[in-house]
Amino acid sequence: GDSVTQMEGPVTLSEEAFLTINCTYTATGYPSLFWYVQYPGEGLQLLLKATKADDKGSNKGFEATYRKETTSFHLEKGSVQVSDSAVYFCALTISNDYKLSFGAGTTVTVRA
Amino acid sequence: EAQVTQNPRYLITVTGKKLTVTCSQNMNHEYMSWYRQDPGLGLRQIYYSMNVEVTDKGDVPEGYKVSRKEKRNFPLILESPSPNQTSLYFCASSLEGGSYEQYFGPGTRLTVT
């Protein structure tokens, strides 16, 4: 079945460090890919998405590129802030499907 | 304000005592869904609904029921809760399924003793 694998955490960084969270997927069709973020005590919110190969999603300084050849959608940010401390989830859905599959989540802590 | 609301936010109950977690959205969304979040497992989909009176199973539907009698509401029913249903539950909605952004509620933390 369709699934997402993302790097295990937790990840601890200093402010202004570079962040990468790896995400790879397995899908039977042509998926749309997402990164959702969950701040402490809150629900999830969409961070960025890409709907076809080579698309780059970006938001709040985060970027991820849909790589069909490596079945990956790695999340990157060049300079993290304390406010980026959260749990990050990679997710996919297949076109015309109604199921959203999530990875296990990666906890990121940024220290001042 | 566009939002998804869930009630209650916290619930402690005993095995076998029926409970309902309500979910409501004010965005006129067609699609609604329930997830449970467990450590190390991420979010797993329980049920989803594509429209009024149309629902389908997600990955972990056992022990849960849903109904969609109105567009804005999508309650989750646990008819006989068990301790393995202790979890953090999220309701979400989107304009449609597929690649549309899902908007999540604040979560309901359920403990079954």
Side-chain angles (χ1 to χ4, degrees):
Chain A
D2 305 325
S3 65
V4 173
T5 302
Q6 60 181 103
M7 63 182 283
E8 295 184 14
V11 174
T12 302
L13 303 165
S14 298
E15 250 186 335
E16 300 184 3
F18 184 86
L19 170 67
T20 298
I21 305 176
N22 290 339
C23 171
T24 57
Y25 67 88
T26 303
T28 53
Y30 298 99
S32 294
L33 301 171
F34 308 82
W35 278 101
Y36 280 83
V37 59
Q38 183 180 31
Y39 298 105
E42 299 183 10
L44 281 74
Q45 55 186 272
L46 181 68
L47 182 59
L48 53 85
K49 73 175 185 180
T51 58
K52 61 182 187 296
D54 299 324
D55 268 1
K56 177 185 282 188
S58 61
N59 186 25
K60 300 182 180 180
F62 289 89
E63 293 183 341
T65 301
Y66 187 161
R67 302 286 189 198
K68 186 178 178 182
E69 63 275 13
T70 55
T71 62
S72 65
F73 192 55
H74 304 323
L75 182 68
E76 297 181 336
K77 185 173 185 181
S79 177
V80 294
Q81 304 299 314
V82 172
S83 57
D84 294 324
S85 298
V87 182
Y88 294 83
F89 292 93
C90 188
L92 72 79
T93 189
I94 302 299
S95 299
N96 300 319
D97 196 355
Y98 294 94
K99 295 178 67 174
L100 186 62
S101 297
F102 284 86
T106 301
T107 300
V108 173
T109 302
V110 180
R111 294 180 175 171
Chain B
E1 179 188 356
Q3 60 182 350
V4 178
T5 57
Q6 296 178 226
N7 282 292
R9 295 288 312 277
Y10 302 91
L11 179 61
I12 301 173
T13 190
V14 296
T15 299
K17 185 176 181 181
K18 181 179 179 179
L19 66 93
T20 299
V21 184
T22 64
C23 173
S24 182
Q25 51 93 3
N26 63 0
M27 295 170 278
N28 202 37
H29 284 168
E30 300 283 336
Y31 178 93
M32 297 185 75
S33 182
W34 276 103
Y35 300 87
R36 60 179 288 174
Q37 183 180 13
D38 301 290
L41 297 177
L43 274 78
R44 294 178 292 168
Q45 195 166 33
I46 303 171
Y47 271 95
Y48 58 93
S49 170
M50 294 76 78
N51 210 328
V52 175
E53 302 291 5
V54 182
T55 63
D56 205 351
K57 297 177 181 178
D59 294 320
V60 288
E62 294 78 19
Y64 305 95
K65 287 178 59 177
V66 294
S67 66
R68 185 96 180 270
K69 299 189 186 306
E70 303 169 283
K71 196 172 188 179
R72 63 184 295 128
N73 295 323
F74 191 45
L76 179 69
I77 303 159
L78 286 71
E79 297 223 330
S80 184
S82 62
N84 65 12
Q85 293 178 297
T86 293
S87 187
L88 179 58
Y89 292 86
F90 288 101
C91 180
S93 73
S94 72
L95 191 60
E96 297 180 10
S99 63
Y100 286 89
E101 173 182 0
Q102 293 200 18
Y103 295 82
F104 284 79
T108 295
R109 185 165 293 281
L110 172 66
T111 301
V112 184
T113 61

PDB file of all heavy atoms in Angstrom, chain B residues 47-80:
ATOM      1  N   TYR B  47     -11.765   7.078   9.828  1.00  0.00           N
ATOM      2  CA  TYR B  47     -12.854   7.149   8.850  1.00  0.00           C
ATOM      3  C   TYR B  47     -12.767   8.478   8.136  1.00  0.00           C
ATOM      4  O   TYR B  47     -12.221   9.437   8.654  1.00  0.00           O
ATOM      5  CB  TYR B  47     -14.226   7.058   9.543  1.00  0.00           C
ATOM      6  CG  TYR B  47     -14.768   5.666   9.742  1.00  0.00           C
ATOM      7  CD1 TYR B  47     -14.566   4.994  10.941  1.00  0.00           C
ATOM      8  CD2 TYR B  47     -15.488   5.032   8.739  1.00  0.00           C
ATOM      9  CE1 TYR B  47     -15.064   3.722  11.136  1.00  0.00           C
ATOM     10  CE2 TYR B  47     -15.996   3.748   8.925  1.00  0.00           C
ATOM     11  CZ  TYR B  47     -15.785   3.099  10.136  1.00  0.00           C
ATOM     12  OH  TYR B  47     -16.284   1.836  10.326  1.00  0.00           O
ATOM     13  N   TYR B  48     -13.372   8.526   6.962  1.00  0.00           N
ATOM     14  CA  TYR B  48     -13.505   9.787   6.270  1.00  0.00           C
ATOM     15  C   TYR B  48     -14.857   9.859   5.588  1.00  0.00           C
ATOM     16  O   TYR B  48     -15.541   8.833   5.422  1.00  0.00           O
ATOM     17  CB  TYR B  48     -12.368  10.015   5.269  1.00  0.00           C
ATOM     18  CG  TYR B  48     -12.223   8.949   4.206  1.00  0.00           C
ATOM     19  CD1 TYR B  48     -12.845   9.082   2.971  1.00  0.00           C
ATOM     20  CD2 TYR B  48     -11.433   7.823   4.444  1.00  0.00           C
ATOM     21  CE1 TYR B  48     -12.691   8.113   1.999  1.00  0.00           C
ATOM     22  CE2 TYR B  48     -11.285   6.859   3.468  1.00  0.00           C
ATOM     23  CZ  TYR B  48     -11.900   7.003   2.255  1.00  0.00           C
ATOM     24  OH  TYR B  48     -11.755   6.046   1.290  1.00  0.00           O
ATOM     25  N   SER B  49     -15.222  11.071   5.208  1.00  0.00           N
ATOM     26  CA  SER B  49     -16.517  11.293   4.579  1.00  0.00           C
ATOM     27  C   SER B  49     -16.338  12.255   3.413  1.00  0.00           C
ATOM     28  O   SER B  49     -15.773  13.338   3.576  1.00  0.00           O
ATOM     29  CB  SER B  49     -17.498  11.891   5.595  1.00  0.00           C
ATOM     30  OG  SER B  49     -18.677  12.325   4.951  1.00  0.00           O
ATOM     31  N   MET B  50     -16.823  11.841   2.252  1.00  0.00           N
ATOM     32  CA  MET B  50     -16.681  12.668   1.064  1.00  0.00           C
ATOM     33  C   MET B  50     -17.831  13.671   0.916  1.00  0.00           C
ATOM     34  O   MET B  50     -17.724  14.642   0.179  1.00  0.00           O
ATOM     35  CB  MET B  50     -16.608  11.801  -0.186  1.00  0.00           C
ATOM     36  CG  MET B  50     -15.376  10.935  -0.252  1.00  0.00           C
ATOM     37  SD  MET B  50     -15.432   9.492   0.815  1.00  0.00           S
ATOM     38  CE  MET B  50     -16.498   8.409  -0.147  1.00  0.00           C
ATOM     39  N   ASN B  51     -18.948  13.373   1.615  1.00  0.00           N
ATOM     40  CA  ASN B  51     -20.108  14.260   1.543  1.00  0.00           C
ATOM     41  C   ASN B  51     -21.156  13.745   2.518  1.00  0.00           C
ATOM     42  O   ASN B  51     -20.975  12.703   3.158  1.00  0.00           O
ATOM     43  CB  ASN B  51     -20.678  14.298   0.115  1.00  0.00           C
ATOM     44  CG  ASN B  51     -21.322  15.633  -0.210  1.00  0.00           C
ATOM     45  OD1 ASN B  51     -21.876  16.302   0.676  1.00  0.00           O
ATOM     46  ND2 ASN B  51     -21.245  16.025  -1.456  1.00  0.00           N
ATOM     47  N   VAL B  52     -22.239  14.442   2.619  1.00  0.00           N
ATOM     48  CA  VAL B  52     -23.312  14.019   3.523  1.00  0.00           C
ATOM     49  C   VAL B  52     -23.756  12.610   3.158  1.00  0.00           C
ATOM     50  O   VAL B  52     -23.946  12.287   1.987  1.00  0.00           O
ATOM     51  CB  VAL B  52     -24.495  15.000   3.438  1.00  0.00           C
ATOM     52  CG1 VAL B  52     -25.667  14.496   4.276  1.00  0.00           C
ATOM     53  CG2 VAL B  52     -24.062  16.385   3.901  1.00  0.00           C
ATOM     54  N   GLU B  53     -23.878  11.778   4.191  1.00  0.00           N
ATOM     55  CA  GLU B  53     -24.332  10.389   4.064  1.00  0.00           C
ATOM     56  C   GLU B  53     -23.348   9.490   3.307  1.00  0.00           C
ATOM     57  O   GLU B  53     -23.687   8.347   2.998  1.00  0.00           O
ATOM     58  CB  GLU B  53     -25.704  10.315   3.381  1.00  0.00           C
ATOM     59  CG  GLU B  53     -26.810  11.082   4.082  1.00  0.00           C
ATOM     60  CD  GLU B  53     -27.235  10.483   5.414  1.00  0.00           C
ATOM     61  OE1 GLU B  53     -26.616   9.500   5.870  1.00  0.00           O
ATOM     62  OE2 GLU B  53     -28.181  11.021   6.022  1.00  0.00           O
ATOM     63  N   VAL B  54     -22.145   9.964   3.038  1.00  0.00           N
ATOM     64  CA  VAL B  54     -21.135   9.163   2.350  1.00  0.00           C
ATOM     65  C   VAL B  54     -19.897   9.059   3.236  1.00  0.00           C
ATOM     66  O   VAL B  54     -19.195  10.055   3.459  1.00  0.00           O
ATOM     67  CB  VAL B  54     -20.740   9.771   0.991  1.00  0.00           C
ATOM     68  CG1 VAL B  54     -19.725   8.866   0.286  1.00  0.00           C
ATOM     69  CG2 VAL B  54     -21.957   9.986   0.126  1.00  0.00           C
ATOM     70  N   THR B  55     -19.638   7.867   3.759  1.00  0.00           N
ATOM     71  CA  THR B  55     -18.467   7.669   4.612  1.00  0.00           C
ATOM     72  C   THR B  55     -17.729   6.407   4.165  1.00  0.00           C
ATOM     73  O   THR B  55     -18.300   5.545   3.495  1.00  0.00           O
ATOM     74  CB  THR B  55     -18.858   7.516   6.099  1.00  0.00           C
ATOM     75  OG1 THR B  55     -19.672   6.346   6.249  1.00  0.00           O
ATOM     76  CG2 THR B  55     -19.628   8.729   6.595  1.00  0.00           C
ATOM     77  N   ASP B  56     -16.461   6.302   4.566  1.00  0.00           N
ATOM     78  CA  ASP B  56     -15.688   5.115   4.222  1.00  0.00           C
ATOM     79  C   ASP B  56     -14.605   4.903   5.266  1.00  0.00           C
ATOM     80  O   ASP B  56     -14.211   5.845   5.983  1.00  0.00           O
ATOM     81  CB  ASP B  56     -15.061   5.250   2.837  1.00  0.00           C
ATOM     82  CG  ASP B  56     -14.790   3.896   2.201  1.00  0.00           C
ATOM     83  OD1 ASP B  56     -14.930   2.860   2.893  1.00  0.00           O
ATOM     84  OD2 ASP B  56     -14.427   3.865   1.017  1.00  0.00           O
ATOM     85  N   LYS B  57     -14.128   3.658   5.341  1.00  0.00           N
ATOM     86  CA  LYS B  57     -13.129   3.303   6.332  1.00  0.00           C
ATOM     87  C   LYS B  57     -11.745   3.804   5.932  1.00  0.00           C
ATOM     88  O   LYS B  57     -11.382   3.778   4.757  1.00  0.00           O
ATOM     89  CB  LYS B  57     -13.083   1.779   6.485  1.00  0.00           C
ATOM     90  CG  LYS B  57     -14.372   1.173   7.008  1.00  0.00           C
ATOM     91  CD  LYS B  57     -14.256  -0.350   7.060  1.00  0.00           C
ATOM     92  CE  LYS B  57     -15.550  -0.967   7.561  1.00  0.00           C
ATOM     93  NZ  LYS B  57     -15.476  -2.454   7.583  1.00  0.00           N
ATOM     94  N   GLY B  58     -10.998   4.197   6.947  1.00  0.00           N
ATOM     95  CA  GLY B  58      -9.588   4.501   6.763  1.00  0.00           C
ATOM     96  C   GLY B  58      -8.753   3.278   7.091  1.00  0.00           C
ATOM     97  O   GLY B  58      -9.171   2.140   6.838  1.00  0.00           O
ATOM     98  N   ASP B  59      -7.615   3.502   7.683  1.00  0.00           N
ATOM     99  CA  ASP B  59      -6.690   2.404   7.971  1.00  0.00           C
ATOM    100  C   ASP B  59      -6.987   1.675   9.272  1.00  0.00           C
ATOM    101  O   ASP B  59      -6.643   0.508   9.422  1.00  0.00           O
ATOM    102  CB  ASP B  59      -5.257   2.951   8.014  1.00  0.00           C
ATOM    103  CG  ASP B  59      -4.809   3.455   6.665  1.00  0.00           C
ATOM    104  OD1 ASP B  59      -5.125   2.810   5.647  1.00  0.00           O
ATOM    105  OD2 ASP B  59      -4.142   4.514   6.614  1.00  0.00           O
ATOM    106  N   VAL B  60      -7.627   2.343  10.234  1.00  0.00           N
ATOM    107  CA  VAL B  60      -7.850   1.738  11.553  1.00  0.00           C
ATOM    108  C   VAL B  60      -9.278   1.964  12.026  1.00  0.00           C
ATOM    109  O   VAL B  60      -9.526   2.593  13.057  1.00  0.00           O
ATOM    110  CB  VAL B  60      -6.827   2.270  12.586  1.00  0.00           C
ATOM    111  CG1 VAL B  60      -5.452   1.714  12.326  1.00  0.00           C
ATOM    112  CG2 VAL B  60      -6.817   3.807  12.605  1.00  0.00           C
ATOM    113  N   PRO B  61     -10.304   1.432  11.332  1.00  0.00           N
ATOM    114  CA  PRO B  61     -11.689   1.718  11.680  1.00  0.00           C
ATOM    115  C   PRO B  61     -12.270   0.872  12.813  1.00  0.00           C
ATOM    116  O   PRO B  61     -13.342   1.197  13.332  1.00  0.00           O
ATOM    117  CB  PRO B  61     -12.417   1.415  10.369  1.00  0.00           C
ATOM    118  CG  PRO B  61     -11.603   0.305   9.768  1.00  0.00           C
ATOM    119  CD  PRO B  61     -10.175   0.622  10.124  1.00  0.00           C
ATOM    120  N   GLU B  62     -11.576  -0.210  13.193  1.00  0.00           N
ATOM    121  CA  GLU B  62     -12.171  -1.150  14.155  1.00  0.00           C
ATOM    122  C   GLU B  62     -12.441  -0.461  15.492  1.00  0.00           C
ATOM    123  O   GLU B  62     -11.560   0.185  16.058  1.00  0.00           O
ATOM    124  CB  GLU B  62     -11.232  -2.339  14.364  1.00  0.00           C
ATOM    125  CG  GLU B  62     -11.035  -3.213  13.134  1.00  0.00           C
ATOM    126  CD  GLU B  62     -10.062  -2.601  12.136  1.00  0.00           C
ATOM    127  OE1 GLU B  62      -9.280  -1.707  12.542  1.00  0.00           O
ATOM    128  OE2 GLU B  62     -10.092  -3.001  10.961  1.00  0.00           O
ATOM    129  N   GLY B  63     -13.670  -0.641  15.996  1.00  0.00           N
ATOM    130  CA  GLY B  63     -14.040  -0.081  17.285  1.00  0.00           C
ATOM    131  C   GLY B  63     -14.621   1.315  17.216  1.00  0.00           C
ATOM    132  O   GLY B  63     -14.959   1.899  18.247  1.00  0.00           O
ATOM    133  N   TYR B  64     -14.744   1.861  16.018  1.00  0.00           N
ATOM    134  CA  TYR B  64     -15.256   3.220  15.828  1.00  0.00           C
ATOM    135  C   TYR B  64     -16.448   3.229  14.871  1.00  0.00           C
ATOM    136  O   TYR B  64     -16.568   2.362  14.011  1.00  0.00           O
ATOM    137  CB  TYR B  64     -14.174   4.139  15.248  1.00  0.00           C
ATOM    138  CG  TYR B  64     -12.908   4.191  16.038  1.00  0.00           C
ATOM    139  CD1 TYR B  64     -11.828   3.366  15.717  1.00  0.00           C
ATOM    140  CD2 TYR B  64     -12.768   5.079  17.105  1.00  0.00           C
ATOM    141  CE1 TYR B  64     -10.653   3.403  16.442  1.00  0.00           C
ATOM    142  CE2 TYR B  64     -11.581   5.138  17.824  1.00  0.00           C
ATOM    143  CZ  TYR B  64     -10.536   4.291  17.490  1.00  0.00           C
ATOM    144  OH  TYR B  64      -9.368   4.345  18.214  1.00  0.00           O
ATOM    145  N   LYS B  65     -17.311   4.205  15.052  1.00  0.00           N
ATOM    146  CA  LYS B  65     -18.395   4.475  14.107  1.00  0.00           C
ATOM    147  C   LYS B  65     -18.444   5.956  13.835  1.00  0.00           C
ATOM    148  O   LYS B  65     -18.028   6.775  14.668  1.00  0.00           O
ATOM    149  CB  LYS B  65     -19.753   4.025  14.690  1.00  0.00           C
ATOM    150  CG  LYS B  65     -19.966   2.544  14.733  1.00  0.00           C
ATOM    151  CD  LYS B  65     -21.311   2.214  15.371  1.00  0.00           C
ATOM    152  CE  LYS B  65     -22.474   2.813  14.640  1.00  0.00           C
ATOM    153  NZ  LYS B  65     -23.780   2.430  15.222  1.00  0.00           N
ATOM    154  N   VAL B  66     -18.961   6.306  12.665  1.00  0.00           N
ATOM    155  CA  VAL B  66     -19.150   7.711  12.314  1.00  0.00           C
ATOM    156  C   VAL B  66     -20.491   7.868  11.623  1.00  0.00           C
ATOM    157  O   VAL B  66     -21.100   6.898  11.182  1.00  0.00           O
ATOM    158  CB  VAL B  66     -18.035   8.236  11.381  1.00  0.00           C
ATOM    159  CG1 VAL B  66     -16.686   8.268  12.085  1.00  0.00           C
ATOM    160  CG2 VAL B  66     -17.974   7.407  10.099  1.00  0.00           C
ATOM    161  N   SER B  67     -20.927   9.099  11.530  1.00  0.00           N
ATOM    162  CA  SER B  67     -22.101   9.417  10.731  1.00  0.00           C
ATOM    163  C   SER B  67     -21.925  10.825  10.171  1.00  0.00           C
ATOM    164  O   SER B  67     -21.216  11.651  10.746  1.00  0.00           O
ATOM    165  CB  SER B  67     -23.382   9.337  11.559  1.00  0.00           C
ATOM    166  OG  SER B  67     -23.399  10.350  12.558  1.00  0.00           O
ATOM    167  N   ARG B  68     -22.556  11.092   9.059  1.00  0.00           N
ATOM    168  CA  ARG B  68     -22.481  12.438   8.450  1.00  0.00           C
ATOM    169  C   ARG B  68     -23.882  12.800   7.956  1.00  0.00           C
ATOM    170  O   ARG B  68     -24.232  12.628   6.799  1.00  0.00           O
ATOM    171  CB  ARG B  68     -21.492  12.427   7.278  1.00  0.00           C
ATOM    172  CG  ARG B  68     -21.268  13.822   6.685  1.00  0.00           C
ATOM    173  CD  ARG B  68     -20.066  14.486   7.237  1.00  0.00           C
ATOM    174  NE  ARG B  68     -19.820  15.807   6.694  1.00  0.00           N
ATOM    175  CZ  ARG B  68     -19.086  16.050   5.607  1.00  0.00           C
ATOM    176  NH1 ARG B  68     -18.549  15.043   4.925  1.00  0.00           N
ATOM    177  NH2 ARG B  68     -18.879  17.288   5.216  1.00  0.00           N
ATOM    178  N   LYS B  69     -24.669  13.291   8.897  1.00  0.00           N
ATOM    179  CA  LYS B  69     -26.052  13.643   8.575  1.00  0.00           C
ATOM    180  C   LYS B  69     -26.173  15.099   8.140  1.00  0.00           C
ATOM    181  O   LYS B  69     -27.151  15.484   7.478  1.00  0.00           O
ATOM    182  CB  LYS B  69     -26.950  13.370   9.770  1.00  0.00           C
ATOM    183  CG  LYS B  69     -26.952  11.886  10.173  1.00  0.00           C
ATOM    184  CD  LYS B  69     -27.995  11.593  11.203  1.00  0.00           C
ATOM    185  CE  LYS B  69     -27.899  10.168  11.690  1.00  0.00           C
ATOM    186  NZ  LYS B  69     -27.934   9.207  10.567  1.00  0.00           N
ATOM    187  N   GLU B  70     -25.212  15.900   8.531  1.00  0.00           N
ATOM    188  CA  GLU B  70     -25.169  17.301   8.119  1.00  0.00           C
ATOM    189  C   GLU B  70     -23.768  17.574   7.588  1.00  0.00           C
ATOM    190  O   GLU B  70     -22.800  16.957   8.027  1.00  0.00           O
ATOM    191  CB  GLU B  70     -25.426  18.233   9.292  1.00  0.00           C
ATOM    192  CG  GLU B  70     -26.726  18.019  10.014  1.00  0.00           C
ATOM    193  CD  GLU B  70     -26.724  18.821  11.309  1.00  0.00           C
ATOM    194  OE1 GLU B  70     -26.070  18.389  12.274  1.00  0.00           O
ATOM    195  OE2 GLU B  70     -27.366  19.882  11.329  1.00  0.00           O
ATOM    196  N   LYS B  71     -23.672  18.535   6.698  1.00  0.00           N
ATOM    197  CA  LYS B  71     -22.381  18.810   6.084  1.00  0.00           C
ATOM    198  C   LYS B  71     -21.361  19.266   7.114  1.00  0.00           C
ATOM    199  O   LYS B  71     -20.174  18.935   7.019  1.00  0.00           O
ATOM    200  CB  LYS B  71     -22.554  19.882   5.012  1.00  0.00           C
ATOM    201  CG  LYS B  71     -21.405  19.998   4.045  1.00  0.00           C
ATOM    202  CD  LYS B  71     -21.771  20.953   2.921  1.00  0.00           C
ATOM    203  CE  LYS B  71     -20.731  20.947   1.842  1.00  0.00           C
ATOM    204  NZ  LYS B  71     -21.108  21.856   0.732  1.00  0.00           N
ATOM    205  N   ARG B  72     -21.748  20.050   8.080  1.00  0.00           N
ATOM    206  CA  ARG B  72     -20.796  20.649   8.988  1.00  0.00           C
ATOM    207  C   ARG B  72     -20.342  19.732  10.122  1.00  0.00           C
ATOM    208  O   ARG B  72     -19.337  20.003  10.759  1.00  0.00           O
ATOM    209  CB  ARG B  72     -21.376  21.936   9.578  1.00  0.00           C
ATOM    210  CG  ARG B  72     -22.630  21.727  10.415  1.00  0.00           C
ATOM    211  CD  ARG B  72     -23.200  23.068  10.883  1.00  0.00           C
ATOM    212  NE  ARG B  72     -22.272  23.728  11.801  1.00  0.00           N
ATOM    213  CZ  ARG B  72     -21.846  24.981  11.644  1.00  0.00           C
ATOM    214  NH1 ARG B  72     -22.238  25.698  10.599  1.00  0.00           N
ATOM    215  NH2 ARG B  72     -21.025  25.513  12.512  1.00  0.00           N
ATOM    216  N   ASN B  73     -21.062  18.643  10.388  1.00  0.00           N
ATOM    217  CA  ASN B  73     -20.767  17.817  11.563  1.00  0.00           C
ATOM    218  C   ASN B  73     -20.349  16.400  11.183  1.00  0.00           C
ATOM    219  O   ASN B  73     -20.923  15.795  10.262  1.00  0.00           O
ATOM    220  CB  ASN B  73     -21.993  17.734  12.472  1.00  0.00           C
ATOM    221  CG  ASN B  73     -22.364  19.078  13.051  1.00  0.00           C
ATOM    222  OD1 ASN B  73     -21.494  19.890  13.378  1.00  0.00           O
ATOM    223  ND2 ASN B  73     -23.661  19.335  13.173  1.00  0.00           N
ATOM    224  N   PHE B  74     -19.402  15.873  11.952  1.00  0.00           N
ATOM    225  CA  PHE B  74     -18.892  14.530  11.680  1.00  0.00           C
ATOM    226  C   PHE B  74     -18.480  13.894  13.014  1.00  0.00           C
ATOM    227  O   PHE B  74     -17.302  13.824  13.345  1.00  0.00           O
ATOM    228  CB  PHE B  74     -17.715  14.622  10.716  1.00  0.00           C
ATOM    229  CG  PHE B  74     -17.250  13.304  10.154  1.00  0.00           C
ATOM    230  CD1 PHE B  74     -18.147  12.362   9.689  1.00  0.00           C
ATOM    231  CD2 PHE B  74     -15.888  13.019  10.060  1.00  0.00           C
ATOM    232  CE1 PHE B  74     -17.721  11.156   9.152  1.00  0.00           C
ATOM    233  CE2 PHE B  74     -15.442  11.824   9.525  1.00  0.00           C
ATOM    234  CZ  PHE B  74     -16.360  10.889   9.065  1.00  0.00           C
ATOM    235  N   PRO B  75     -19.421  13.416  13.789  1.00  0.00           N
ATOM    236  CA  PRO B  75     -19.089  12.860  15.105  1.00  0.00           C
ATOM    237  C   PRO B  75     -18.423  11.491  15.015  1.00  0.00           C
ATOM    238  O   PRO B  75     -18.719  10.693  14.113  1.00  0.00           O
ATOM    239  CB  PRO B  75     -20.457  12.761  15.785  1.00  0.00           C
ATOM    240  CG  PRO B  75     -21.434  12.648  14.659  1.00  0.00           C
ATOM    241  CD  PRO B  75     -20.865  13.458  13.543  1.00  0.00           C
ATOM    242  N   LEU B  76     -17.553  11.244  15.983  1.00  0.00           N
ATOM    243  CA  LEU B  76     -16.878   9.950  16.124  1.00  0.00           C
ATOM    244  C   LEU B  76     -17.460   9.248  17.344  1.00  0.00           C
ATOM    245  O   LEU B  76     -17.484   9.822  18.428  1.00  0.00           O
ATOM    246  CB  LEU B  76     -15.374  10.157  16.308  1.00  0.00           C
ATOM    247  CG  LEU B  76     -14.521   8.897  16.487  1.00  0.00           C
ATOM    248  CD1 LEU B  76     -14.479   8.105  15.187  1.00  0.00           C
ATOM    249  CD2 LEU B  76     -13.108   9.274  16.934  1.00  0.00           C
ATOM    250  N   ILE B  77     -17.910   8.024  17.147  1.00  0.00           N
ATOM    251  CA  ILE B  77     -18.585   7.276  18.203  1.00  0.00           C
ATOM    252  C   ILE B  77     -17.763   6.057  18.582  1.00  0.00           C
ATOM    253  O   ILE B  77     -17.355   5.279  17.702  1.00  0.00           O
ATOM    254  CB  ILE B  77     -19.982   6.835  17.738  1.00  0.00           C
ATOM    255  CG1 ILE B  77     -20.805   8.055  17.310  1.00  0.00           C
ATOM    256  CG2 ILE B  77     -20.703   6.035  18.832  1.00  0.00           C
ATOM    257  CD1 ILE B  77     -21.961   7.740  16.407  1.00  0.00           C
ATOM    258  N   LEU B  78     -17.539   5.894  19.883  1.00  0.00           N
ATOM    259  CA  LEU B  78     -16.916   4.686  20.407  1.00  0.00           C
ATOM    260  C   LEU B  78     -17.976   3.986  21.244  1.00  0.00           C
ATOM    261  O   LEU B  78     -18.324   4.439  22.337  1.00  0.00           O
ATOM    262  CB  LEU B  78     -15.686   5.014  21.251  1.00  0.00           C
ATOM    263  CG  LEU B  78     -14.422   5.448  20.520  1.00  0.00           C
ATOM    264  CD1 LEU B  78     -14.546   6.842  19.917  1.00  0.00           C
ATOM    265  CD2 LEU B  78     -13.217   5.368  21.451  1.00  0.00           C
ATOM    266  N   GLU B  79     -18.539   2.937  20.726  1.00  0.00           N
ATOM    267  CA  GLU B  79     -19.684   2.300  21.379  1.00  0.00           C
ATOM    268  C   GLU B  79     -19.261   1.517  22.618  1.00  0.00           C
ATOM    269  O   GLU B  79     -20.004   1.449  23.598  1.00  0.00           O
ATOM    270  CB  GLU B  79     -20.409   1.389  20.409  1.00  0.00           C
ATOM    271  CG  GLU B  79     -21.006   2.110  19.215  1.00  0.00           C
ATOM    272  CD  GLU B  79     -22.411   1.619  18.867  1.00  0.00           C
ATOM    273  OE1 GLU B  79     -22.689   0.434  19.121  1.00  0.00           O
ATOM    274  OE2 GLU B  79     -23.213   2.430  18.356  1.00  0.00           O
ATOM    275  N   SER B  80     -18.085   0.932  22.614  1.00  0.00           N
ATOM    276  CA  SER B  80     -17.576   0.196  23.758  1.00  0.00           C
ATOM    277  C   SER B  80     -16.068   0.410  23.844  1.00  0.00           C
ATOM    278  O   SER B  80     -15.280  -0.452  23.435  1.00  0.00           O
ATOM    279  CB  SER B  80     -17.911  -1.294  23.636  1.00  0.00           C
ATOM    280  OG  SER B  80     -17.507  -1.991  24.792  1.00  0.00           O
TER     281      SER B  80
END
